[in-house]
Amino acid sequence: MATSDPVKVGVDGSKASIRAALWAADEAMARDARLDLVYVVDPSRIDDVDAAMAAARHALHRAWQAVTDSGKHVKLETEILQGDPAIELADTARHASLICVGHKGTNDSSPQPRGATSEALVRMAPGAVAVVRRRHKRPPTCHRWIVVVLDESAESHPVLQAALDEAALREAPLLALTSWSTSSPRRTADDTPPDDIRATVDRRLRDTRDGTAAVPVCALPMPSDVTTILQQSAGIDQLLVIGAGRTDVIEQLQEEGARDALRKTDCSILIVRAPKPLERRAFGSPTEHRNEKQ
């Protein structure tokens, strides 16, 4: 899991954003990438620009210090943007391998509902988005499930790979919620394409039964409502990986039932989008934005 694109995290001074920064630091280390701490000043919600900029620098310093004090060895940079937080974070995500935010922030109050920025970012970001929910630190020996939602679309291949990477990073087992039955693996023909998702999952399940899997995998049929899994499985308390094309599942997670099920958990959500070809940039051309370094 290596890339030159940075991992970015939205920082707003809240405890949730500090925890998101720590979570994002692990992602940056796994990718051998830089971690960018990004604060967005919303001119529509402030009266004093100078005070807002000072608050932004203070919040970034706190997040920087938290990551440094954690002992996570990752290169850090900071960035202050101005505009609507969700729009600006979505735009800066174009230059990132992953954009992370806390599940709630300092501006989650009237007129905006709780988690409004994270929900908007999930809809708008052009790449992978992580909505991080961490209430407290868990012992390093307490490994929880990584859960991935799979169907037979082409998008499921990068989604499964992302989930396997996350499971390997956290030394956790993987639970696949599939749109097909895995109770009796189908016969695989000689001409089955190597990227057939059902065949790939069957191989992972077989390797797990044989004891040769680097990441243990099990599978269950995907319920009609993902809230059912969240409510019935207390062990699913680490990360839920979903493809951006599964808007039905993403919408379920934003409903009150799923919110209630997630409220007392540490279950973060990773939305995966299939990578697009990188745009070529002329040698020596300037970057589109500058970072404010500490």
Side-chain angles (χ1 to χ4, degrees), residues 119-142:
E119 289 186 9
L121 183 61
V122 165
R123 293 192 300 270
M124 294 189 296
V129 180
V131 179
V132 180
R133 181 183 294 270
R134 284 291 181 269
R135 295 179 300 127
H136 51 75
K137 293 182 178 180
R138 289 192 178 278
T141 56
C142 185

Side-chain angles (χ1 to χ4, degrees), residues 1 7 22-35 67 70-75 169:
M1 196 160 62
V7 172
L22 294 171
W23 192 93
D26 288 333
E27 293 291 326
M29 291 172 60
R31 290 168 163 79
D32 192 22
R34 189 182 75 230
L35 176 61
V67 173
S70 71
K72 301 179 190 298
H73 301 292
V74 61
K75 182 179 179 181
L169 173 62

Side-chain angles (χ1 to χ4, degrees), residues 136-149:
H136 51 75
K137 293 182 178 180
R138 289 192 178 278
T141 56
C142 185
H143 302 314
R144 300 282 179 156
W145 289 96
I146 302 296
V147 184
V148 60
V149 176

Side-chain angles (χ1 to χ4, degrees), residues 1-270:
M1 196 160 62
T3 179
S4 58
D5 292 329
V7 172
K8 300 197 176 194
V9 56
V11 173
D12 63 1
S14 65
K15 290 182 180 180
S17 72
I18 295 293
R19 292 165 182 160
L22 294 171
W23 192 93
D26 288 333
E27 293 291 326
M29 291 172 60
R31 290 168 163 79
D32 192 22
R34 189 182 75 230
L35 176 61
D36 290 357
L37 309 175
V38 184
Y39 191 107
V40 182
V41 175
D42 187 350
S44 69
R45 299 176 65 87
I46 63 173
D47 298 319
D48 187 330
V49 175
D50 291 338
M53 294 298 288
R57 288 190 288 270
H58 177 67
L60 288 169
H61 176 74
R62 284 185 58 217
W64 182 294
Q65 198 65 51
V67 173
T68 302
D69 290 347
S70 71
K72 301 179 190 298
H73 301 292
V74 61
K75 182 179 179 181
L76 288 164
E77 291 194 6
T78 65
E79 186 176 9
I80 298 177
L81 306 173
Q82 292 192 42
D84 177 273
I87 293 175
E88 294 301 322
L89 289 173
D91 185 61
T92 196
R94 299 178 187 281
H95 310 279
S97 60
L98 173 67
I99 182 79
C100 307
V101 289
H103 73 285
K104 62 179 180 178
T106 57
N107 289 329
D108 286 345
S109 58
S110 182
Q112 295 190 90
R114 179 181 291 268
T117 297
S118 61
E119 289 186 9
L121 183 61
V122 165
R123 293 192 300 270
M124 294 189 296
V129 180
V131 179
V132 180
R133 181 183 294 270
R134 284 291 181 269
R135 295 179 300 127
H136 51 75
K137 293 182 178 180
R138 289 192 178 278
T141 56
C142 185
H143 302 314
R144 300 282 179 156
W145 289 96
I146 302 296
V147 184
V148 60
V149 176
L150 300 175
D151 55 29
E152 295 187 74
S153 68
E155 183 186 51
S156 282
H157 300 292
V159 172
L160 175 58
Q161 187 57 57
L164 289 167
D165 288 342
E166 296 294 338
L169 173 62
R170 292 167 174 77
E171 299 180 356
L174 180 68
L175 171 62
L177 301 178
T178 63
S179 62
W180 65 92
S181 174
T182 57
S183 58
S184 55
R186 60 177 180 166
R187 294 179 179 274
T188 303
D190 293 338
D191 59 350
T192 299
D195 61 349
D196 180 281
I197 190 65
R198 293 182 63 171
T200 299
V201 171
D202 285 346
R203 285 195 298 271
R204 294 282 178 176
L205 293 171
R206 184 170 60 250
D207 290 346
T208 298
R209 290 192 297 270
D210 295 343
T212 60
V215 173
V217 177
C218 68
L220 290 173
M222 176 67 187
S224 58
D225 190 336
V226 71
T227 306
T228 304
I229 291 291
L230 299 176
Q231 291 172 335
Q232 296 180 353
S233 304
I236 300 175
D237 207 16
Q238 180 156 231
L239 184 64
L240 180 59
V241 184
I242 311 165
R246 290 303 302 267
T247 55
D248 57 328
V249 179
I250 294 172
E251 289 173 358
Q252 288 173 10
L253 290 170
Q254 295 172 354
E255 294 173 354
E256 193 59 33
R259 288 174 181 273
D260 289 341
L262 288 170
R263 189 159 290 134
K264 295 181 180 180
T265 74
D266 284 338
C267 186
S268 300
I269 299 169
L270 176 61

